[in-house]
Amino acid sequence: MSEQNLSNHFAIETRNLNLFYGNFRAVKDVNLQIVPRKITAIIGPSGCGKSTVLRSFNRMNDFVPGFHMEGEILFHGKNLYAPDVDPVQVRQYIGMVFQKPNPFPKSIYENVAWGARINGYKGNMDELVEGALRAAALWDEVKDNLKKSGLSLSGGQQQRLCIARALAVKPEIILMDEPCSALDPIATLKIEDLMRELSENYTIIIVTHNMQQAARASDYTAFFTMDEDRAGVMVEYGETSQIFTNPRDKRTEDYITGRFG
C-alpha cells in the first residue's frame, strides 16, 4: 500500500509536528492519527498546546504573528502547509466552532447562509439553511424566527447556530475548541448529544478541560502535557475507554484522576 493511500485511512495525520510562536516551541514532535467519523478529544493542563494543535489543523494559527511550523499535517495525503495549498479552502473542508459562541450580527438565516454565499453556492439556499439547522438540532426552535438576529438566541442556541454555520459549507472535519465552557449543564449535554449524531457523518476533534465530557462524548483521547522546556508534548493517544480506565503512562493517570493539572 502506498504512503498516500495509507494516509487516506485517517481524517488528519500529523508527522513530527512542531509548532512555534517566534523562537518559542509551543508544541513538540506530535505524531497523531485522527480516525474518520469519530470524536477525538484532546485533553491536558492549561498551556500544553491543545488549542494550538487544534488550530493548526485548519491553519487558524496563520493569523498569529510569528507562528510557524515544522513537520507535516496530512489531509487526504496532502500536506496542509504545502506552498500550493489555499488556507481559505482548507477552512472550507475543516470547520471550526470556538469556545464562546460568536454569531454574526445578522439574522439566523444569514448566519447560516453566509459561508455558502461567499463560497459561491448556487443551489437552493433555503434548503441548505434548513438542512444545516436541522443537522445542528436547532431547526424546530428557530424555524418561525429566521429573520431574528442570531444574537437574540440563548448561549446554547447560539453555539448550535455556529455549528449550523460550520455545517453549511459542507466540511469533512469539525474542530471544537472548548465549545461548552461558556454553557450551562443542560446546554452542554445538548451539544454532546449533537456531537454524537454529527459523528455519523463528520470527523469531530474537540479540545476540552472537562474530563467527564471527554469520557462521555469521545471515542478517542489524546493527552498532552508540557516538558521541561514548557513545550506541549503528546503523552498518550488511544481509545477513550482505554485512556480513562487503563492508561499506559503514569502522567496520564495522574491527570485524569486529578493529581495534577
Side-chain angles (χ1 to χ4, degrees):
M1 185 180 290
S2 74
E3 186 171 292
Q4 175 140 352
N5 288 337
L6 190 63
S7 296
N8 288 343
H9 282 270
F10 306 114
I12 282 185
E13 181 180 7
T14 73
R15 294 182 179 173
N16 300 321
L17 181 64
N18 289 268
L19 304 174
F20 297 83
Y21 296 116
N23 294 324
F24 172 64
R25 177 155 60 170
V27 173
K28 180 178 178 181
D29 296 334
V30 172
N31 292 286
L32 178 61
Q33 297 166 332
I34 300 292
V35 179
R37 296 191 178 183
K38 298 291 183 183
I39 301 170
T40 298
I42 301 176
I43 64 171
S46 296
C48 69
K50 302 184 299 295
S51 293
T52 296
V53 169
L54 191 76
R55 289 163 181 255
S56 72
F57 292 156
N58 72 341
R59 298 194 52 168
M60 289 295 290
N61 291 326
D62 289 14
F63 298 109
V64 180
F67 171 80
H68 61 283
M69 62 89 75
E70 295 174 358
E72 293 183 311
I73 300 176
L74 301 175
F75 176 66
H76 293 296
K78 174 80 172 176
N79 183 10
L80 292 177
Y81 287 79
D84 59 338
V85 171
D86 178 1
V88 175
Q89 196 167 34
V90 170
R91 294 178 202 119
Q92 185 177 344
Y93 289 107
I94 306 175
M96 183 121 194
V97 176
F98 295 93
Q99 184 171 0
K100 192 164 182 277
N102 61 341
F104 301 137
K106 300 174 182 289
S107 68
I108 293 167
Y109 184 101
E110 285 301 324
N111 261 276
V112 180
W114 179 81
R117 214 186 286 289
I118 64 169
N119 285 326
Y121 181 71
K122 296 287 193 289
N124 185 314
M125 191 63 80
D126 290 350
E127 288 181 4
L128 181 77
V129 169
E130 179 177 343
L133 287 168
R134 283 188 183 280
L138 191 57
W139 174 253
D140 289 340
E141 295 167 47
V142 302
K143 62 185 178 184
D144 298 322
N145 297 294
L146 294 178
K147 292 181 179 175
K148 283 183 68 173
S149 169
L151 299 171
S152 68
L153 299 173
S154 71
Q157 289 174 322
Q158 286 187 20
Q159 194 63 298
R160 281 182 282 145
L161 178 62
C162 293
I163 292 170
R165 186 174 71 197
L167 294 174
V169 297
K170 309 292 187 187
E172 292 184 31
I173 299 172
I174 304 168
L175 310 176
M176 298 186 171
D177 194 356
E178 296 190 59
C180 303
S181 64
L183 305 181
D184 63 54
I186 292 172
T188 294
L189 287 174
K190 277 193 174 180
I191 297 289
E192 290 177 9
D193 288 343
L194 174 58
M195 285 165 46
R196 180 58 59 199
E197 289 174 28
L198 290 174
S199 68
E200 294 178 14
N201 297 301
Y202 303 91
T203 301
I204 296 175
I205 310 171
I206 176 173
V207 163
T208 180
H209 277 290
N210 186 325
M211 292 302 95
Q212 290 77 21
Q213 180 172 72
R216 272 194 310 262
S218 70
D219 302 294
Y220 293 85
T221 296
F223 169 59
F224 281 68
T225 190
M226 286 169 284
D227 68 7
E228 61 278 2
D229 297 321
R230 308 292 293 172
V233 291
M234 188 174 75
V235 173
E236 189 167 350
Y237 174 56
E239 292 188 10
T240 296
S241 56
Q242 175 261 312
I243 294 289
F244 277 85
T245 61
N246 189 29
R248 289 185 285 267
D249 193 291
K250 184 156 193 321
R251 291 170 293 175
T252 311
E253 182 179 1
D254 287 348
Y255 182 74
I256 62 178
T257 56
R259 292 195 187 99
F260 86 90

Coordinates of all heavy atoms in Angstrom, one line a residue, residues 124-210:
N124 N -30.2 25.7 -3.8 CA -31.3 26.2 -3.1 C -30.9 26.6 -1.7 O -30.7 25.8 -0.9 CB -32.5 25.2 -3.1 CG -33.7 25.8 -2.5 OD1 -33.7 26.4 -1.4 ND2 -34.8 25.6 -3.1
M125 N -30.8 27.9 -1.5 CA -30.3 28.4 -0.2 C -31.2 28.1 1.0 O -30.8 27.7 2.1 CB -30.0 29.9 -0.2 CG -29.2 30.4 1.0 SD -27.5 29.7 1.1 CE -26.6 30.7 -0.1
D126 N -32.5 28.2 0.7 CA -33.5 27.8 1.8 C -33.3 26.4 2.3 O -33.3 26.1 3.5 CB -34.9 28.0 1.3 CG -35.3 29.5 1.1 OD1 -34.5 30.4 1.5 OD2 -36.3 29.8 0.5
E127 N -33.1 25.5 1.3 CA -32.9 24.1 1.6 C -31.6 23.9 2.4 O -31.6 23.1 3.4 CB -32.9 23.2 0.4 CG -34.3 23.1 -0.2 CD -34.3 22.2 -1.5 OE1 -33.2 21.6 -1.8 OE2 -35.3 22.1 -2.1
L128 N -30.6 24.6 2.0 CA -29.3 24.5 2.6 C -29.4 24.9 4.1 O -28.9 24.3 5.0 CB -28.2 25.3 1.9 CG -26.8 25.2 2.5 CD1 -26.2 23.9 2.1 CD2 -26.0 26.4 2.0
V129 N -30.0 26.1 4.3 CA -30.1 26.7 5.6 C -30.9 25.7 6.5 O -30.5 25.4 7.7 CB -30.8 28.1 5.6 CG1 -31.1 28.5 7.0 CG2 -29.8 29.1 4.9
E130 N -32.1 25.2 6.0 CA -32.9 24.3 6.8 C -32.1 23.1 7.1 O -32.2 22.6 8.3 CB -34.2 24.0 6.0 CG -35.1 23.0 6.8 CD -36.4 22.7 6.2 OE1 -36.8 23.4 5.3 OE2 -37.0 21.7 6.6
G131 N -31.4 22.5 6.2 CA -30.7 21.3 6.4 C -29.6 21.4 7.4 O -29.4 20.6 8.3
A132 N -28.9 22.6 7.4 CA -27.8 22.8 8.4 C -28.4 23.0 9.8 O -27.9 22.5 10.8 CB -27.0 24.0 8.0
L133 N -29.5 23.7 9.8 CA -30.2 24.0 11.2 C -30.8 22.7 11.7 O -30.7 22.4 12.9 CB -31.3 25.0 11.0 CG -30.8 26.5 10.9 CD1 -31.9 27.4 10.5 CD2 -30.1 27.0 12.2
R134 N -31.3 21.8 10.8 CA -31.8 20.5 11.3 C -30.6 19.7 11.8 O -30.7 19.0 12.9 CB -32.5 19.8 10.2 CG -33.9 20.3 9.9 CD -34.6 19.4 8.9 NE -35.9 19.9 8.5 CZ -37.0 19.8 9.3 NH1 -36.9 19.1 10.4 NH2 -38.2 20.3 8.9
A135 N -29.5 19.7 11.1 CA -28.3 18.9 11.5 C -27.8 19.4 12.8 O -27.2 18.6 13.6 CB -27.3 18.9 10.4
A136 N -28.0 20.6 13.1 CA -27.5 21.2 14.3 C -28.5 21.2 15.4 O -28.4 21.8 16.5 CB -27.0 22.7 14.1
A137 N -29.6 20.5 15.2 CA -30.7 20.3 16.2 C -31.3 21.6 16.6 O -31.6 21.8 17.8 CB -30.2 19.5 17.4
L138 N -31.4 22.6 15.7 CA -31.9 23.9 16.0 C -33.1 24.3 15.3 O -33.8 25.2 15.6 CB -30.8 24.9 15.8 CG -31.0 26.3 16.3 CD1 -31.2 26.3 17.8 CD2 -29.7 27.2 16.0
W139 N -33.4 23.6 14.2 CA -34.5 24.0 13.3 C -35.8 24.2 14.0 O -36.5 25.2 13.8 CB -34.6 23.0 12.1 CG -35.8 23.2 11.2 CD1 -37.0 22.5 11.1 CD2 -35.9 24.3 10.2 NE1 -37.8 23.0 10.2 CE2 -37.2 24.1 9.6 CE3 -35.1 25.3 9.8 CZ2 -37.6 25.0 8.6 CZ3 -35.5 26.2 8.8 CH2 -36.8 26.0 8.2
D140 N -36.3 23.2 14.8 CA -37.6 23.3 15.4 C -37.7 24.5 16.3 O -38.8 25.0 16.6 CB -37.9 22.0 16.2 CG -38.2 20.9 15.2 OD1 -38.5 21.1 14.0 OD2 -38.0 19.7 15.7
E141 N -36.6 25.0 16.9 CA -36.6 26.1 17.8 C -36.6 27.4 17.1 O -37.0 28.4 17.7 CB -35.4 26.0 18.8 CG -35.4 24.7 19.7 CD -34.1 24.5 20.4 OE1 -33.5 25.5 20.9 OE2 -33.6 23.3 20.4
V142 N -36.2 27.5 15.9 CA -36.0 28.8 15.2 C -36.7 29.0 13.9 O -36.7 30.0 13.3 CB -34.5 29.1 15.0 CG1 -33.7 29.1 16.3 CG2 -33.9 28.2 14.0
K143 N -37.4 27.9 13.4 CA -37.9 27.9 12.1 C -38.9 29.0 11.8 O -39.1 29.5 10.7 CB -38.6 26.6 11.7 CG -39.8 26.2 12.6 CD -40.2 24.8 12.3 CE -41.4 24.4 13.2 NZ -41.8 23.0 13.0
D144 N -39.6 29.5 12.9 CA -40.6 30.6 12.7 C -39.9 32.0 13.0 O -40.6 33.0 12.9 CB -41.7 30.4 13.7 CG -42.5 29.1 13.4 OD1 -42.7 28.8 12.2 OD2 -42.9 28.5 14.4
N145 N -38.6 32.0 13.2 CA -38.0 33.3 13.6 C -36.6 33.5 12.8 O -35.7 34.0 13.4 CB -37.7 33.3 15.1 CG -39.0 33.3 15.9 OD1 -39.8 34.3 15.8 ND2 -39.2 32.3 16.6
L146 N -36.6 33.0 11.6 CA -35.3 33.0 10.9 C -34.8 34.4 10.6 O -33.6 34.6 10.3 CB -35.5 32.2 9.5 CG -35.7 30.7 9.7 CD1 -35.9 30.1 8.3 CD2 -34.6 30.0 10.4
K147 N -35.7 35.4 10.6 CA -35.3 36.8 10.4 C -34.8 37.5 11.6 O -34.2 38.6 11.6 CB -36.4 37.6 9.8 CG -36.8 37.1 8.3 CD -37.9 37.9 7.7 CE -38.2 37.5 6.3 NZ -39.3 38.2 5.7
K148 N -35.0 36.8 12.8 CA -34.5 37.4 14.0 C -33.0 37.4 14.1 O -32.3 36.5 13.5 CB -35.1 36.7 15.2 CG -36.5 37.1 15.5 CD -37.0 36.4 16.8 CE -36.4 36.8 18.1 NZ -37.0 36.2 19.2
S149 N -32.4 38.2 14.9 CA -30.9 38.3 15.0 C -30.4 37.0 15.7 O -31.0 36.5 16.6 CB -30.5 39.5 15.8 OG -29.1 39.4 16.2
G150 N -29.3 36.5 15.2 CA -28.7 35.3 15.8 C -28.3 35.6 17.3 O -28.2 34.8 18.1
L151 N -28.0 36.9 17.5 CA -27.6 37.4 18.9 C -28.8 37.3 19.9 O -28.6 37.5 21.1 CB -27.1 38.8 18.8 CG -25.8 38.9 17.9 CD1 -25.4 40.4 17.8 CD2 -24.6 38.1 18.5
S152 N -30.0 37.1 19.4 CA -31.2 37.1 20.3 C -31.4 35.7 20.9 O -32.2 35.5 21.8 CB -32.5 37.4 19.5 OG -32.8 36.4 18.5
L153 N -30.6 34.7 20.4 CA -30.7 33.3 20.9 C -30.0 33.1 22.3 O -29.1 33.9 22.6 CB -30.2 32.3 19.9 CG -30.8 32.3 18.5 CD1 -30.0 31.4 17.6 CD2 -32.3 31.9 18.6
S154 N -30.4 32.1 23.0 CA -29.6 31.7 24.2 C -28.2 31.3 23.9 O -27.9 31.0 22.7 CB -30.4 30.6 25.0 OG -30.2 29.4 24.3
G155 N -27.4 31.2 24.9 CA -26.0 30.8 24.7 C -25.9 29.4 24.0 O -25.1 29.2 23.0
G156 N -26.7 28.4 24.5 CA -26.6 27.1 23.9 C -27.1 27.1 22.4 O -26.6 26.4 21.6
Q157 N -28.2 27.9 22.2 CA -28.7 28.0 20.8 C -27.7 28.7 19.9 O -27.5 28.3 18.8 CB -30.0 28.8 20.8 CG -31.2 28.0 21.4 CD -32.4 28.9 21.6 OE1 -32.4 30.1 21.9 NE2 -33.6 28.3 21.3
Q158 N -27.0 29.7 20.5 CA -26.0 30.4 19.7 C -24.9 29.5 19.2 O -24.4 29.5 18.1 CB -25.4 31.6 20.4 CG -26.4 32.8 20.5 CD -25.7 34.0 21.2 OE1 -24.5 34.1 21.2 NE2 -26.5 34.9 21.7
Q159 N -24.5 28.6 20.2 CA -23.4 27.6 19.8 C -23.9 26.7 18.8 O -23.1 26.3 17.8 CB -22.9 26.9 21.1 CG -21.6 26.2 20.9 CD -20.4 27.1 20.6 OE1 -20.4 27.8 19.6 NE2 -19.5 27.1 21.5
R160 N -25.2 26.2 18.9 CA -25.7 25.3 17.8 C -25.8 26.1 16.5 O -25.7 25.5 15.4 CB -27.0 24.7 18.3 CG -26.8 23.5 19.2 CD -28.1 22.9 19.6 NE -28.8 23.6 20.7 CZ -30.1 23.7 20.8 NH1 -30.9 23.2 19.9 NH2 -30.6 24.5 21.7
L161 N -26.1 27.4 16.6 CA -26.2 28.2 15.3 C -24.8 28.2 14.7 O -24.6 28.1 13.5 CB -26.7 29.6 15.6 CG -26.8 30.6 14.5 CD1 -27.7 30.1 13.4 CD2 -27.2 32.0 14.9
C162 N -23.8 28.4 15.5 CA -22.4 28.4 15.0 C -22.0 27.1 14.4 O -21.3 27.0 13.4 CB -21.4 28.8 16.1 SG -21.6 30.5 16.7
I163 N -22.5 26.0 15.0 CA -22.3 24.6 14.4 C -23.0 24.5 13.1 O -22.5 24.0 12.1 CB -22.8 23.5 15.4 CG1 -21.8 23.5 16.6 CG2 -22.8 22.2 14.7 CD1 -22.3 22.6 17.7
A164 N -24.3 25.0 13.0 CA -25.0 25.0 11.7 C -24.3 25.8 10.7 O -24.2 25.4 9.5 CB -26.4 25.6 11.9
R165 N -23.7 27.0 11.1 CA -22.9 27.8 10.1 C -21.7 27.1 9.6 O -21.4 27.1 8.4 CB -22.5 29.1 10.9 CG -21.8 30.1 10.0 CD -21.5 31.4 10.8 NE -20.5 31.2 11.8 CZ -20.3 32.0 12.8 NH1 -21.1 33.0 13.0 NH2 -19.3 31.8 13.7
A166 N -21.1 26.3 10.5 CA -19.9 25.5 10.0 C -20.4 24.4 9.1 O -19.7 24.1 8.1 CB -19.2 24.9 11.2
L167 N -21.5 23.7 9.4 CA -22.0 22.6 8.6 C -22.5 23.1 7.2 O -22.4 22.3 6.2 CB -23.2 22.0 9.3 CG -22.9 21.2 10.6 CD1 -24.2 20.7 11.2 CD2 -21.9 20.1 10.4
A168 N -22.9 24.3 7.0 CA -23.5 24.8 5.8 C -22.5 24.8 4.6 O -22.9 24.8 3.5 CB -24.1 26.2 6.0
V169 N -21.2 24.9 4.9 CA -20.2 24.9 3.8 C -19.7 23.4 3.5 O -18.7 23.3 2.8 CB -19.0 25.8 4.2 CG1 -19.5 27.2 4.3 CG2 -18.3 25.4 5.4
K170 N -20.4 22.4 4.1 CA -20.1 21.0 3.8 C -18.7 20.6 4.1 O -18.0 20.1 3.3 CB -20.4 20.7 2.3 CG -21.8 21.2 1.8 CD -22.9 20.4 2.4 CE -24.2 20.7 1.8 NZ -25.3 20.1 2.5
P171 N -18.3 20.8 5.4 CA -16.9 20.4 5.8 C -16.9 18.8 5.9 O -17.9 18.2 5.9 CB -16.8 21.0 7.1 CG -18.1 21.0 7.7 CD -19.1 21.2 6.5
E172 N -15.6 18.3 6.0 CA -15.4 16.9 6.4 C -15.1 16.8 7.8 O -15.4 15.8 8.4 CB -14.3 16.3 5.5 CG -14.6 16.2 4.1 CD -13.5 15.5 3.3 OE1 -12.8 14.7 3.9 OE2 -13.3 15.9 2.1
I173 N -14.5 17.8 8.4 CA -14.0 17.8 9.8 C -14.5 19.0 10.5 O -14.5 20.1 9.9 CB -12.4 17.8 9.8 CG1 -11.9 16.5 9.1 CG2 -11.9 17.8 11.2 CD1 -10.4 16.5 8.9
I174 N -14.9 18.8 11.7 CA -15.3 20.0 12.6 C -14.4 20.0 13.8 O -14.4 19.0 14.6 CB -16.8 19.9 13.0 CG1 -17.7 19.7 11.8 CG2 -17.2 21.1 13.8 CD1 -19.1 19.3 12.1
L175 N -13.8 21.1 14.0 CA -12.9 21.4 15.1 C -13.7 22.1 16.2 O -14.4 23.1 15.8 CB -11.7 22.2 14.8 CG -10.9 21.7 13.5 CD1 -9.7 22.7 13.2 CD2 -10.4 20.3 13.8
M176 N -13.6 21.7 17.4 CA -14.4 22.4 18.5 C -13.4 22.7 19.6 O -12.9 21.8 20.3 CB -15.5 21.6 19.0 CG -16.6 21.3 17.9 SD -18.0 20.4 18.7 CE -19.2 20.4 17.3
D177 N -13.2 24.0 19.9 CA -12.3 24.5 20.9 C -13.1 24.8 22.2 O -13.6 25.9 22.3 CB -11.5 25.7 20.5 CG -10.3 26.0 21.3 OD1 -10.1 25.3 22.4 OD2 -9.5 26.9 21.0
E178 N -13.2 23.8 23.1 CA -13.9 24.0 24.4 C -15.3 24.6 24.1 O -15.7 25.6 24.7 CB -13.2 24.9 25.4 CG -11.8 24.3 25.8 CD -11.2 25.1 27.0 OE1 -11.9 25.2 28.0 OE2 -10.1 25.6 26.8
P179 N -16.1 23.9 23.3 CA -17.4 24.5 22.8 C -18.4 24.6 23.9 O -19.4 25.3 23.7 CB -17.8 23.5 21.7 CG -17.3 22.2 22.2 CD -15.9 22.6 22.7
C180 N -18.2 24.0 25.0 CA -19.3 24.0 26.1 C -18.8 24.8 27.3 O -19.6 24.9 28.3 CB -19.6 22.6 26.5 SG -20.2 21.6 25.1
S181 N -17.6 25.4 27.3 CA -17.1 26.0 28.5 C -18.0 27.2 29.0 O -17.9 27.6 30.2 CB -15.7 26.4 28.4 OG -15.5 27.4 27.4
A182 N -18.7 27.8 28.0 CA -19.5 29.0 28.4 C -21.0 28.6 28.6 O -21.8 29.5 28.7 CB -19.4 30.1 27.3
L183 N -21.3 27.3 28.6 CA -22.7 26.9 28.6 C -23.1 26.2 29.9 O -22.2 25.7 30.6 CB -22.9 25.9 27.4 CG -22.6 26.4 26.0 CD1 -22.9 25.3 25.0 CD2 -23.3 27.7 25.7
D184 N -24.4 26.2 30.2 CA -24.8 25.6 31.4 C -24.9 24.1 31.2 O -24.8 23.6 30.0 CB -26.2 26.1 31.8 CG -27.3 25.9 30.8 OD1 -27.5 24.7 30.4 OD2 -27.9 26.8 30.3
P185 N -25.1 23.2 32.2 CA -25.1 21.8 32.0 C -26.1 21.2 31.0 O -25.7 20.3 30.3 CB -25.3 21.3 33.5 CG -24.9 22.4 34.4 CD -25.2 23.6 33.6
I186 N -27.3 21.8 31.0 CA -28.3 21.3 30.1 C -27.9 21.6 28.6 O -27.9 20.7 27.8 CB -29.7 21.9 30.4 CG1 -30.2 21.4 31.7 CG2 -30.7 21.6 29.3 CD1 -31.4 22.0 32.3
A187 N -27.4 22.8 28.4 CA -27.0 23.2 27.0 C -25.7 22.3 26.6 O -25.6 21.9 25.5 CB -26.6 24.7 26.9
T188 N -24.9 22.1 27.6 CA -23.7 21.2 27.4 C -24.1 19.8 26.9 O -23.5 19.3 25.9 CB -22.8 21.1 28.6 OG1 -22.3 22.4 28.9 CG2 -21.7 20.2 28.5
L189 N -25.0 19.2 27.6 CA -25.5 17.9 27.2 C -26.1 17.9 25.8 O -25.9 16.9 25.0 CB -26.4 17.3 28.2 CG -25.8 16.9 29.6 CD1 -26.8 16.5 30.6 CD2 -24.8 15.7 29.4
K190 N -26.8 18.9 25.5 CA -27.4 19.0 24.1 C -26.3 19.1 23.1 O -26.4 18.4 22.0 CB -28.2 20.3 24.0 CG -29.6 20.2 24.5 CD -30.5 21.3 24.0 CE -31.9 21.1 24.4 NZ -32.8 22.2 24.0
I191 N -25.2 19.8 23.3 CA -24.1 19.9 22.4 C -23.4 18.5 22.3 O -23.0 18.0 21.2 CB -23.0 20.9 22.8 CG1 -23.7 22.4 22.8 CG2 -21.8 20.9 21.9 CD1 -24.0 22.9 21.4
E192 N -23.3 17.8 23.4 CA -22.6 16.5 23.4 C -23.5 15.5 22.6 O -23.0 14.7 21.8 CB -22.4 16.0 24.8 CG -21.3 16.8 25.6 CD -21.1 16.3 27.0 OE1 -21.8 15.3 27.4 OE2 -20.4 17.0 27.8
D193 N -24.8 15.5 22.8 CA -25.7 14.7 22.0 C -25.6 15.0 20.6 O -25.6 14.1 19.7 CB -27.1 14.8 22.5 CG -27.4 14.2 23.9 OD1 -26.6 13.4 24.3 OD2 -28.4 14.6 24.5
L194 N -25.5 16.3 20.3 CA -25.4 16.7 18.9 C -24.1 16.2 18.3 O -24.0 15.7 17.1 CB -25.5 18.2 18.8 CG -25.2 18.9 17.4 CD1 -26.2 18.3 16.4 CD2 -25.4 20.4 17.5
M195 N -23.0 16.3 19.0 CA -21.7 15.8 18.5 C -21.8 14.3 18.2 O -21.3 13.9 17.1 CB -20.6 16.0 19.6 CG -20.1 17.5 19.7 SD -19.2 17.7 21.3 CE -18.1 16.3 21.3
R196 N -22.4 13.6 19.0 CA -22.6 12.1 18.7 C -23.3 11.9 17.4 O -22.9 11.1 16.6 CB -23.3 11.5 19.9 CG -23.5 10.0 19.9 CD -22.2 9.2 19.7 NE -21.3 9.4 20.7 CZ -20.0 9.1 20.6 NH1 -19.5 8.7 19.5 NH2 -19.1 9.3 21.6
E197 N -24.4 12.6 17.2 CA -25.2 12.5 16.0 C -24.3 12.9 14.8 O -24.3 12.2 13.8 CB -26.4 13.3 16.0 CG -27.5 12.8 17.0 CD -28.7 13.8 17.1 OE1 -28.9 14.5 16.1 OE2 -29.3 13.8 18.1
L198 N -23.6 14.0 14.9 CA -22.8 14.5 13.8 C -21.7 13.6 13.4 O -21.3 13.5 12.3 CB -22.3 15.9 14.1 CG -23.3 17.0 14.2 CD1 -22.6 18.3 14.7 CD2 -24.0 17.3 12.8
S199 N -21.2 12.8 14.4 CA -20.0 12.0 14.1 C -20.4 10.8 13.2 O -19.5 10.1 12.7 CB -19.4 11.5 15.4 OG -20.3 10.6 16.1
E200 N -21.6 10.6 12.9 CA -22.0 9.6 11.9 C -21.6 10.1 10.5 O -21.4 9.3 9.6 CB -23.5 9.3 12.0 CG -24.0 8.7 13.3 CD -25.4 8.5 13.3 OE1 -26.1 8.6 12.3 OE2 -26.0 8.2 14.4
N201 N -21.5 11.4 10.3 CA -21.2 11.9 9.0 C -19.9 12.8 9.0 O -19.4 13.1 7.9 CB -22.3 12.8 8.5 CG -23.6 11.9 8.3 OD1 -23.6 11.0 7.6 ND2 -24.7 12.3 9.0
Y202 N -19.4 13.2 10.1 CA -18.3 14.1 10.2 C -17.3 13.6 11.2 O -17.6 13.0 12.2 CB -18.7 15.5 10.7 CG -19.8 16.2 9.8 CD1 -21.2 16.0 10.1 CD2 -19.5 16.9 8.7 CE1 -22.2 16.5 9.3 CE2 -20.5 17.5 7.9 CZ -21.8 17.3 8.2 OH -22.8 17.9 7.4
T203 N -16.0 14.0 11.0 CA -15.0 13.8 12.0 C -15.0 15.0 12.9 O -14.9 16.1 12.4 CB -13.6 13.7 11.3 OG1 -13.7 12.6 10.3 CG2 -12.5 13.4 12.3
I204 N -15.0 14.7 14.2 CA -15.0 15.8 15.2 C -13.8 15.7 16.1 O -13.5 14.6 16.6 CB -16.3 15.8 16.0 CG1 -17.5 16.0 15.1 CG2 -16.3 16.8 17.1 CD1 -18.9 15.8 15.8
I205 N -13.1 16.8 16.2 CA -12.0 16.9 17.1 C -12.3 18.0 18.1 O -12.5 19.2 17.7 CB -10.7 17.2 16.4 CG1 -10.5 16.3 15.2 CG2 -9.5 17.1 17.3 CD1 -9.3 16.6 14.3
I206 N -12.2 17.7 19.4 CA -12.7 18.6 20.4 C -11.5 18.8 21.5 O -10.9 17.8 21.9 CB -14.0 18.2 21.1 CG1 -14.4 19.1 22.3 CG2 -13.9 16.7 21.6 CD1 -15.7 18.8 22.9
V207 N -11.3 20.1 21.8 CA -10.4 20.4 23.0 C -11.3 20.6 24.2 O -12.3 21.4 24.1 CB -9.5 21.6 22.7 CG1 -9.0 22.2 24.0 CG2 -8.4 21.3 21.7
T208 N -11.0 19.9 25.3 CA -11.9 20.1 26.4 C -11.0 20.0 27.7 O -10.1 19.3 27.8 CB -13.0 19.1 26.5 OG1 -13.8 19.4 27.7 CG2 -12.6 17.7 26.5
H209 N -11.4 20.8 28.7 CA -10.8 20.7 30.1 C -11.7 19.8 30.9 O -11.3 19.5 32.1 CB -10.7 22.1 30.7 CG -9.5 22.9 30.3 ND1 -8.2 22.6 30.7 CD2 -9.4 24.0 29.5 CE1 -7.4 23.4 30.2 NE2 -8.1 24.3 29.5
N210 N -12.8 19.4 30.4 CA -13.8 18.7 31.2 C -13.6 17.2 31.0 O -13.9 16.6 30.0 CB -15.2 19.1 30.8 CG -16.3 18.5 31.6 OD1 -16.2 17.4 32.1 ND2 -17.4 19.2 31.8

